């Protein structure tokens, strides 16, 4: 039997180098959980369609042909076209990593804005070209579809000048070289749900540790970003799966003097550094934790040490600490890394309830301890869906066709 969903849907896209994650939400306030969620994985290398969630049942996956982001979008469109629910897409929202010094909030895309965003690609070469390829190829299939870009930088827009600026010559700063910060959609989501967990204390001095394969930390006060570890590009801050985190710029000058060209340096910084670079084994902490090899152990120690240092630095920026929040792949799933970080942070008053830490949900510190420590799952795609719904509603109102 053919079914049609009566409510039009919002499509969210997070297009990366080898995967394209998507979700579909009913376009009605308040947004409920996604009705469809999935990903096209291993694009260009044994690609497959991974349907994680749908209204009528179980997760399933199947092999496809997709060697580029454009072909991945074509696969997604073909799947939607033959789906028995005949989903009608009202608008699409994209996670776009860099908004540069122009975009302080989500924006409804047009060709001119897309061009502006393309000029920012060199600032986030791991992400931007893929993010924007998703927008362009969706327009090839649905030329009139409203599309919204939601920036990872926007949440940090109001950081104070001492956090925003670098101490470099004015003429360099005029080129837009400043601390932008990233993972903003994740921090914005956490800031929105914090009162459900912390009540009035949500407005206090909070550090959110977004620890995934890309990793950063953010200091929140009154639920706004006042400092963060990533800066001009997503390379800065703490060590990540394949990115080094903070690195003396003098090292790059030295590499140039040694004859390394830009492409090789960029490849090394984006794909061969971090946990992978240190261990020589893997950038995946889960895998490193199972290795007895000393280089694997050093990489894990290095990650914990520098994340702990970042917690100390952000606590200083906040003038104290009321709560520490763990989120993203490592933050939500690794009781061991959380335990290591809280043990090192005992000087800050960090303490864990070992059983709650093993369970890894909600408050994981004893009821009496301050700062409190929490695991809160992030939901960047829901943030994208919320922004997309709001901008689409505004557009439809302007056109005189309210939802
Ligand atoms: P990203 O969105 O930046 O790709 P994720 O937030 O999905 O990253 O996190 C991915 C990382 O989470 C993986 O590299 C892996 O190291 C880590 N991870 C996932 N589950 C676990 C676990 N149970 N224990 C330790 N690390 C984990």
């Amino acid at each position: 039997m053919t079914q049609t969903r009566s409510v039009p849907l919002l499509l969210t896209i997070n297009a990366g180098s080898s995967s394209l994650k998507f979700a579909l939400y009913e376009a009605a306030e308040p947004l409920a959980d996604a009705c469809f969620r999935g990903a096209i994985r291993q694009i260009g290398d044994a690609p497959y369609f991974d349907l994680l969630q749908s209204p009528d049942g179980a997760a399933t996956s199947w092999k496809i042909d997709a060697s580029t982001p454009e072909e991945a979008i074509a696969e997604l469109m073909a799947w939607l076209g033959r789906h028995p629910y005949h989903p009608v897409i009202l608008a699409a929202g994209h996670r776009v990593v860099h908004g540069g010094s122009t975009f302080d909030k989500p924006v409804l895309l047009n060709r001119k804005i897309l061009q502006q965003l393309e000029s920012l690609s060199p600032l986030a070469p791991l992400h931007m070209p893929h993010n924007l390829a998703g927008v362009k190829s969706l327009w090839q299939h649905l030329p009139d579809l409203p599309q919204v870009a939601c920036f990872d930088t926007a949440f940090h827009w109001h950081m104070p000048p001492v956090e925003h600026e670098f101490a470099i010559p004015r003429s360099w700063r005029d080129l837009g070289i400043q601390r932008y910060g990233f993972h903003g959609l994740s921090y914005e989501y956490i800031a929105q749900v914090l009162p459900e967990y912390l009540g009035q204390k949500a407005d206090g001095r909070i550090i959110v540790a977004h620890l995934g394969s890309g990793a950063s930390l953010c200091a929140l006060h009154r639920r706004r970003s006042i400092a963060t570890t990533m800066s001009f590009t997503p390379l800065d801050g703490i060590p990540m799966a394949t990115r080094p985190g903070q690195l003396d710029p003098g090292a790059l000058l030295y590499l140039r003097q040694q004859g390394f060209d830009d492409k090789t340096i960029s490849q090394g910084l984006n794909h061969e550094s971090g946990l992978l670079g240190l261990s020589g084994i893997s950038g995946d902490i889960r895998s490193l934790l199972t290795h007895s090899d000393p280089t694997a152990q050093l990489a894990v120690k290095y990650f914990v040490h520098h994340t702990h240092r970042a917690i100390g630095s952000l606590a200083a920026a906040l003038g104290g600490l009321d709560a520490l929040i763990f989120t993203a792949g490592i933050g939500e799933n690794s009781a061991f890394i959380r335990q290591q970080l809280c043990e090192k942070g005992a000087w800050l008053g960090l303490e864990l309830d070992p059983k709650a830490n093993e369970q890894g949900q909600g408050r994981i510190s004893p009821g009496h301890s301050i700062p409190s420590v929490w695991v809160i799952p992030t939901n960047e795609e829901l943030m994208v869906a919320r922004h997309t719904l709001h901008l689409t509603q505004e557009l439809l109102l302007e056109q005189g066709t309210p939802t």
Side-chain angles (χ1 to χ4, degrees), residues 21 210-214 283-286 289 328-330 333-334:
K21 296 179 191 154
H210 177 112
L211 308 180
S213 41
D284 191 317
I285 278 229
R286 227 174 342 186
L289 287 171
I330 302 169
N333 296 303
S334 179

Side-chain angles (χ1 to χ4, degrees), residues 115-241:
Q115 268 181 354
Q116 279 176 281
L117 293 176
E118 278 176 331
S119 71
L120 298 173
S121 277
L123 301 186
L126 264 190
H127 304 94
M128 285 297 271
H130 308 290
N131 299 162
L132 302 181
V135 176
K136 283 183 282 191
S137 37
L138 207 49
W139 263 333
Q140 277 171 3
H141 293 269
L142 300 167
D144 298 323
L145 185 73
Q147 298 205 62
V148 170
C150 302
F151 303 103
D152 267 318
T153 45
F155 186 68
H156 304 290
W157 192 268
H158 297 287
M159 288 193 305
V162 286
E163 289 291 341
H164 242 308
E165 300 288 356
F166 285 121
I168 53 175
R170 173 84 256 170
S171 57
W172 298 8
R173 284 181 279 146
D174 288 346
L175 291 171
I177 301 179
Q178 63 183 59
R179 288 196 178 89
Y180 293 101
F182 297 87
H183 288 137
L185 293 162
S186 173
Y187 296 130
E188 188 181 10
Y189 174 80
I190 298 288
Q192 285 192 1
V193 298
L194 263 187
E196 292 168 26
Y197 295 84
L198 273 74
Q200 285 183 341
K201 293 195 173 131
D203 280 338
R205 298 161 301 179
I206 314 284
I207 294 177
V208 185
H210 177 112
L211 308 180
S213 41
S216 72
L217 295 93
C218 179
L220 299 179
H221 188 228
R222 299 203 176 99
R223 292 195 282 144
R224 295 172 73 144
S225 168
I226 64 133
T228 190
T229 55
M230 283 180 175
S231 65
F232 179 57
T233 73
L235 286 170
D236 202 0
I238 60 170
M240 293 164 245

